[in-house]
Amino acid sequence: MSDDIWRADDPSDDGRTATEEGANTDSTRDSEGDAPSGESGRSGAETDHPATADESDDEKEYRVLATPMDGGLRLLDRQTFEPVVTADEGHDAPVGDLRPGYLVDADLDWSSPDPTVRSVSVRRPTLYVFADGADPIFEAARETWTDARAAGDSMDSRVTRNTDNEVNGVLYVFAEDPTNGTFESFRDGTRPVEPLVDRVNEGEEAAPREVFVLRPEDGEFVVVTIALAKGGQFADMLRETYDRPRPPEPLS
């Protein structure tokens, strides 16, 4: 795993603000180790964590990256941080009702080259959204990328705030890699978003969230925005801006 994805977890304070289409997303940077607070959607759910040695070998913790509409179910193994692609069919669990971003406990059958899912349960229904050619990129994200370029950095981060100056999210910007594709690597799990989500959950009581991975039309950089409250105003604004309606969730 690239070191810079971990470095992106360390916002620093400089008091900058930004506004997008009438929705104020004032943003400041926290000093290293500070936790975002405010619109968190806290649920009391347990914290995201890699599977431990005393968990069953048959049932492990995964992050859903893509559902069968894209072929086989794509999962991120939370213990190894490696993507797993299942068979297209033959599952004993309702994998078609899973949504990208769900944190799940799953039992996989590895008796064939492409595993099938014996059973699955949703631990936390976080949602991931991937939008390529996103337009417009909200001002806080563009300012953060401009700051990164001015500093000669390939990434940067800041928290976002609503009109009441409450923290409602965290955003990260990364230079697009013209060879390997930063956006594609986030989407397929070869460069996990997971460390960024973990960092938020270290500072905020773990809860379902909405994570938006956006690549603007010019393809110069990639934005990862974590809206603290699933179904909150910030997440709703991003969904409306990028025409990504919230999907039905029969398992949540």
Side-chain angles (χ1 to χ4, degrees), residues 24-189:
N24 187 317
T25 54
D26 286 353
S27 34
T28 62
R29 300 181 182 181
D30 289 345
S31 59
E32 181 174 353
D34 287 350
S37 59
E39 186 188 358
S40 62
R42 294 178 178 177
S43 67
E46 66 180 292
T47 303
D48 290 348
H49 63 282
T52 56
D54 57 357
E55 290 180 320
S56 168
D57 289 338
D58 295 327
E59 187 173 89
K60 297 176 65 175
E61 188 177 85
Y62 296 92
R63 180 76 67 180
V64 178
L65 298 176
T67 60
M69 288 189 299
D70 301 317
L73 185 71
R74 181 175 286 270
L75 305 168
L76 182 75
D77 186 322
R78 286 272 299 158
Q79 185 173 22
T80 65
F81 275 42
E82 294 293 330
V84 174
V85 179
T86 70
D88 290 349
E89 54 187 16
H91 305 286
D92 296 324
V95 296
D97 291 333
L98 296 172
R99 299 292 178 257
Y102 278 13
L103 185 69
V104 301
D105 293 315
D107 178 10
L108 303 187
D109 182 349
W110 291 92
S111 59
S112 59
D114 296 321
T116 57
V117 183
R118 291 195 188 104
S119 64
V120 66
S121 60
V122 179
R123 178 175 292 197
R124 189 172 308 112
T126 288
L127 291 173
Y128 281 13
V129 177
F130 295 89
D132 197 4
D135 181 58
I137 292 295
F138 57 100
E139 188 175 348
R142 285 210 173 270
E143 283 190 356
T144 306
W145 176 240
T146 298
D147 293 343
R149 292 185 63 191
D153 294 332
S154 62
M155 48 72 59
D156 202 351
S157 60
R158 66 170 63 182
V159 299
T160 61
R161 298 180 184 271
N162 61 20
T163 53
D164 296 321
N165 204 37
E166 297 170 333
V167 175
N168 58 10
V170 185
L171 74 83
Y172 303 84
V173 292
F174 300 87
E176 180 55 284
D177 184 337
T179 302
N180 299 314
T182 302
F183 179 83
E184 286 81 6
S185 64
F186 279 135
R187 185 166 54 187
D188 65 22

